[in-house]
């Protein structure tokens, strides 16, 4: 659920410098109601997410301020198939309602300003304040999730203020940020719990205060439905088993490696444990290194693994973009061909474009969706909870890996660091990452 610090920070600074040339008058023009105005440099308004042309609607019914329908084209874009939505009725309805909101118009200029400034007033006159609070946000995946959160929030006229906080990898700050949101009496919180169960006390405090808290990217901590509202995402244990199935089929015997995010984070720990147990005896996991989802660390970590195991047969990790950047650089520096079996949770364009360039049939890449739109589902779950809906403790999306050789991640028009399964309109993506 993921370039993170130094290498991406450089790109992001360039993007912010480019955006900084906007005039004060243009910025002032943004502060309008979400449906009108030209916004920043004529960005205008449009659907909050990818909608596609034609295609039928999936779902039926309505309730708690939501319509349980979404365009099949939108579902296929975000999930690879319109069929890959939660099977149980209540989670399915929440997912359809959330992704169906991609058809609603929002002000793109306002969304961009809100993203740049870590929050904003929406100009709608709404009384609700929503917050996206996380332990670590200095990466492309999280920044794109932040924009998805903003776009989703702007589809609700009752939301008048959006807040974003990142603790910059500091547990104490993450707890303090959460407590600050509770003290400010925000209406709802969405988060990714980088520090796992260490966040339970503040989750409980928020829940006791009547503030719904939902996680995404399968940010599972103990007690969904009790300690917090719900966890949204794919079952990452099943993801690990699917990774293992690929390794078992593609590799007869040999060494593979795992890499993950923060030590103990719920996403990495879940798939790693389940993949490890599902691997056949002839495949050995010789390394399992945390990267803190920091691209500046990835090259050194991969280099260290290759120094000990130059004949590595495969590797499983969350973020494909990091392995297109630091990972590839490590292989190149070691004089080892960039090949083997790789399984990833995200589908950033960078690795797909690199694979197309290398044209090596021995480079076998399998990947899941980015999962960025899952944050929209988490916010909609919170909004429905505020209307007294009974929210399922888990909202689980089915898993179907794609193969780079059959479905390329390298999608025309998308910035290399971005995922094409995101619902962020391309017009906005190009302003975020020029």
């Amino acid at each position: 659920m993921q370039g993170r610090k130094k290498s991406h920070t450089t790109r992001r600074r360039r993007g912010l410098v480019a955006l900084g040339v906007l005039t004060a008058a243009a910025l002032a023009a943004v502060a309008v109601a979400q449906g009108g105005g030209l916004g920043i440099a004529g960005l205008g308004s449009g659907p909050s997410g990818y909608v596609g042309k034609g295609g039928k609607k999936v779902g039926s019914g309505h309730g708690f301020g939501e319509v349980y329908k979404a365009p099949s084209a939108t579902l296929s874009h975000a999930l690879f198939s319109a069929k890959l939505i939660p099977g149980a009725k209540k989670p399915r309805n929440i997912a359809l309602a959330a992704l169906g909101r991609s058809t609603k118009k929002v002000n793109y200029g306002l969304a961009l300003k809100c993203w740049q400034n870590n929050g904003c007033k929406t100009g709608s006159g709404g009384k609700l304040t929503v917050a996206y609070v996380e332990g670590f946000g200095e990466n492309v995946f999280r920044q794109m999730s932040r924009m998805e959160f903003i776009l989703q929030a702007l589809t609700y006229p009752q939301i008048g203020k959006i807040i974003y906080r990142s603790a910059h990898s500091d547990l104490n700050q993450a707890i303090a940020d959460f407590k600050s949101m509770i003290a400010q009496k925000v209406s709802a919180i969405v988060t990714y719990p980088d520090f796992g169960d260490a966040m339970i006390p503040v989750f409980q405090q928020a829940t006791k205060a009547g503030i719904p808290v939902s996680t995404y990217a399968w940010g599972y901590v103990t007690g969904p439905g009790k300690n917090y509202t719900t966890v949204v995402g794919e079952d990452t244990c099943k993801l690990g088993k699917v990774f293992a199935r690929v390794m078992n089929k593609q590799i007869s015997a040999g060494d593979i490696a795992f890499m993950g995010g923060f030590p103990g984070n719920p996403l990495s720990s879940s798939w790693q444990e389940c993949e490890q147990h599902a691997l056949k005896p002839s495949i050995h996991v010789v390394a399992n290194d945390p990267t803190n989802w920091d691209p500046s660390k990835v090259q050194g970590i991969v280099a260290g693994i290759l120094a000990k195991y130059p004949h590595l047969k495969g590797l499983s990790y969350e973020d494909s973009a990091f392995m297109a950047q630091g990972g590839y650089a490590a292989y190149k520096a070691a004089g080892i061909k960039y090949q083997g079996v790789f399984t990833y949770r995200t589908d950033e364009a960078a690795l797909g474009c690199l694979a197309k360039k290398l044209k090596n049939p021995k480079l076998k890449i399998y990947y899941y969706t980015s999962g960025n739109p899952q944050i929209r589902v988490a916010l909609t779950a919170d909004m429905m909870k505020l209307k007294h809906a009974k929210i399922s403790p888990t909202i689980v999306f089915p898993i179907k890996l794609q193969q780079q050789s059959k479905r390329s991640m390298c999608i025309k028009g998308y910035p290399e660091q971005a995922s094409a399964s995101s619902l962020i309109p391309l017009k906005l993506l190009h302003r975020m990452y020029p």
Side-chain angles (χ1 to χ4, degrees):
M1 165 151 353
Q2 297 171 331
R4 310 283 173 189
K5 287 187 181 175
K6 293 181 182 178
S7 64
H8 171 64
T9 300
T10 302
R11 293 195 299 272
R12 184 168 183 265
R13 284 175 179 165
R14 289 173 183 163
L16 291 177
V17 168
L19 292 169
V21 303
L22 299 168
T23 66
L27 288 174
V30 171
V32 295
Q34 58 205 38
L38 291 177
I40 294 180
L43 269 175
S45 61
S48 82
Y50 179 89
V51 177
K53 296 180 180 179
K56 64 179 182 179
K57 292 285 186 72
V58 176
S60 63
H62 59 88
F64 306 99
E66 304 290 346
V67 177
Y68 307 144
K69 292 182 181 181
S72 60
T74 296
L75 298 175
S76 295
H77 180 90
L79 308 173
F80 298 144
S81 169
K83 296 180 180 179
L84 297 176
I85 54 178
K89 184 177 179 180
K90 287 182 180 179
R92 175 188 174 93
N93 285 344
I94 296 170
L96 289 171
L99 300 178
R101 282 185 166 271
S102 63
T103 63
K104 292 185 178 292
K105 276 193 172 185
V106 299
N107 186 311
Y108 293 157
L110 176 56
L112 186 58
K113 181 186 179 184
C114 204
W115 183 77
Q116 290 176 277
N117 295 332
N118 293 334
C120 63
K121 291 183 177 180
T122 68
S124 71
K127 303 300 182 183
L128 302 183
T129 296
V130 296
Y132 174 28
V133 184
E134 58 185 345
F136 170 74
E138 292 61 59
N139 57 70
V140 176
F141 178 88
R142 299 295 180 85
Q143 289 167 6
M144 288 182 65
S145 293
R146 182 180 5 147
M147 178 58 89
E148 298 252 20
F149 177 82
I150 290 166
L151 290 166
Q152 190 76 352
L154 290 177
T155 69
Y156 289 97
Q158 58 267 49
I159 294 176
K161 187 177 181 180
I162 300 167
I163 298 175
Y164 171 76
R165 294 287 185 273
S166 168
H168 308 288
S169 308
D170 185 326
L171 171 59
N172 292 329
Q173 186 61 52
I175 292 171
D177 285 345
F178 230 89
K179 288 183 175 180
S180 174
M181 295 302 104
I182 297 169
Q184 292 181 50
K185 298 180 179 179
V186 300
S187 309
I189 299 172
V190 173
T191 185
Y192 179 80
D194 290 282
F195 303 106
D197 280 4
M199 301 302 292
I200 288 177
V202 286
F203 279 22
Q204 292 173 329
Q205 288 176 32
T207 300
K208 187 177 180 179
I211 303 170
V213 176
S214 295
T215 72
Y216 79 108
W218 203 246
Y220 190 98
V221 298
T222 301
K226 181 180 178 181
N227 292 330
Y228 59 107
T229 302
T230 189
V231 54
V232 178
E234 76 282 10
D235 182 332
T236 49
C237 180
K238 289 184 179 179
L239 181 67
K241 291 177 180 178
V242 173
F243 283 175
R245 196 178 305 147
V246 170
M247 295 294 183
N248 291 340
K249 182 178 180 180
Q250 298 294 333
I251 300 172
S252 58
D255 298 334
I256 67 170
F258 292 168
M259 297 197 304
F262 285 85
N265 84 83
L267 192 157
S268 301
S269 58
S270 178
W271 70 255
Q272 289 174 353
E273 180 180 357
C274 292
E275 181 175 0
Q276 174 83 63
H277 289 161
L279 289 169
K280 60 188 179 184
S282 59
I283 297 178
H284 309 113
V285 179
V286 294
N288 188 345
D289 294 321
T291 66
N292 292 8
W293 291 314
D294 179 348
S296 68
K297 296 179 183 294
V298 170
Q299 182 173 349
I301 290 169
V302 175
I305 294 172
L306 292 176
K308 292 182 179 179
Y309 307 99
H311 302 295
L312 198 70
K313 295 290 185 67
L315 189 147
S316 294
Y317 185 36
E318 287 95 21
D319 197 294
S320 66
F322 296 170
M323 287 299 291
Q325 299 157 358
Y328 176 62
Y331 272 81
K332 193 173 181 181
I336 298 173
K337 283 190 175 182
Y338 194 61
Q339 61 189 35
V341 182
F342 295 91
T343 57
Y344 299 105
R345 183 188 178 265
T346 66
D347 64 335
E348 288 84 7
L351 185 58
C353 295
L354 175 61
K356 288 183 72 173
K357 179 181 178 181
L358 294 176
K359 297 179 181 179
N360 183 353
K362 293 183 179 181
L363 176 59
K364 299 178 180 180
I365 299 170
Y366 298 80
Y367 60 93
Y368 185 57
T369 71
S370 71
N372 293 120
Q374 293 173 1
I375 199 170
R376 295 179 181 246
V377 181
L379 178 56
T380 290
D382 278 356
M383 296 297 287
M384 292 176 67
K385 179 69 172 179
L386 291 174
K387 289 183 175 289
H388 309 293
K390 291 184 178 180
I391 306 300
S392 302
T394 61
I395 300 174
V396 185
F397 287 85
I399 297 166
K400 184 176 181 181
L401 295 188
Q402 305 298 308
Q403 189 173 355
Q404 167 63 26
S405 62
K406 296 180 179 179
R407 179 190 174 118
S408 178
M409 291 181 277
C410 188
I411 306 297
K412 185 178 180 180
Y414 277 82
E416 285 201 352
Q417 62 267 47
S419 161
S421 58
S422 160
L423 291 181
I424 301 171
L426 267 176
K427 182 186 293 187
L428 271 181
L429 271 176
H430 285 295
R431 295 302 295 269
M432 293 164 66
Y433 303 106

